[in-house]
Amino acid sequence: MALSRNDLVAALAEKAGVTKTDADKLLSAFSDVVLDSVSKGEKVSIPGILSVERVERAARTGRNPATGETIDIPAGFGVKVSAGSRLKAAAK
């Protein structure tokens, strides 16, 4: 079962003892900070939980699976998300 945004907001509000509206604002602000930081190439780290960073991907040659034609894939960026030790332990 997945935790929806509404479920997450409700859980945050209950744990922090704030209203759902305030928890939703906090979650939105957190999302904005992570997106802004990663877009600038900065690593975002929450010790023990997770880290998020932008990584470069080199240009490479690929193959169109439908036609078998060789295509050039340009260099670009991706996102790497790493689980922290507490998150890994919780998943066991």
Side-chain angles (χ1 to χ4, degrees):
M1 182 169 130
L3 187 66
S4 71
R5 181 183 173 93
N6 287 338
D7 295 338
L8 181 57
V9 167
L12 286 170
E14 184 178 329
K15 285 273 188 183
V18 297
T19 66
K20 287 183 183 180
T21 302
D22 289 341
D24 188 55
K25 287 179 187 177
L26 181 63
L27 184 58
S28 292
F30 175 75
S31 298
D32 290 344
V33 169
V34 170
L35 292 172
D36 289 344
S37 296
V38 170
S39 71
K40 293 176 187 173
E42 300 170 345
K43 182 177 181 177
V44 177
S45 180
I46 304 172
I49 304 296
L50 61 86
S51 63
V52 182
E53 63 185 307
R54 183 173 78 171
V55 293
E56 289 188 50
R57 292 197 177 145
R60 61 195 187 280
T61 302
R63 190 169 302 278
N64 182 331
T67 64
E69 177 185 4
T70 301
I71 56 173
D72 291 324
I73 302 170
F77 295 99
V79 176
K80 177 182 173 185
V81 179
S82 301
S85 59
R86 290 177 48 207
L87 185 59
K88 287 178 185 178
K92 288 185 179 182

